[in-house]
């Protein structure tokens, strides 16, 4: 997953989503769709860092993602 630019405002959005969460909100998208878009964008942000950082940082990020996933499941 990568970050791309929003078609409307040029802000960051996840690959595959033409509009960023803010523009989705402006078009009247459902709250849960916006929340999902925000989550995807944030994941894409993290993954875009890992693309060219060293192994230690990548390992740390994988750890953080795993913790986040467990927290998410415990909800
Ligand atoms: Zn936008």
């Amino acid at each position: 997953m990568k970050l791309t630019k929003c078609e409307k405002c040029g802000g960051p959005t996840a690959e595959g989503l033409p509009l960023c969460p803010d523009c989705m909100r402006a078009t009247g998208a459902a709250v849960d769709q916006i929340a999902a878009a925000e989550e995807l964008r944030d994941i894409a942000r993290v993954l875009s860092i890992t693309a060219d950082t060293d192994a230690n940082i990548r390992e740390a990020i994988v750890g953080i993602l795993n913790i986040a996933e467990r927290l998410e499941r415990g909800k």
Side-chain angles (χ1 to χ4, degrees), residues 43 46-47 58-74:
I43 292 169
V46 173
L47 295 180
R58 264 203 307 274
E59 274 298 295
I61 292 170
V62 169
I64 292 166
L65 288 173
N66 288 343
I67 291 166
E69 203 181 296
R70 279 196 296 274
L71 288 173
E72 188 75 16
R73 272 201 306 262

Side-chain angles (χ1 to χ4, degrees), residues 6-12 18-24:
C6 169
E7 286 176 0
K8 212 167 165 188
C9 73
L19 297 179
C20 71
D22 289 336
C23 291
M24 284 177 69

Side-chain angles (χ1 to χ4, degrees), residues 16-38:
L17 294 172
L19 297 179
C20 71
D22 289 336
C23 291
M24 284 177 69
R25 192 175 290 119
T27 63
V31 174
D32 58 341
Q33 283 182 325
I34 296 165
E38 279 176 337

Side-chain angles (χ1 to χ4, degrees), residues 33-57:
Q33 283 182 325
I34 296 165
E38 279 176 337
E39 207 159 298
L40 286 174
R41 181 196 56 191
D42 290 340
I43 292 169
R45 272 184 172 147
V46 173
L47 295 180
S48 72
I49 299 169
T50 63
D52 84 339
T53 46
D54 71 42
N56 286 340
I57 296 173

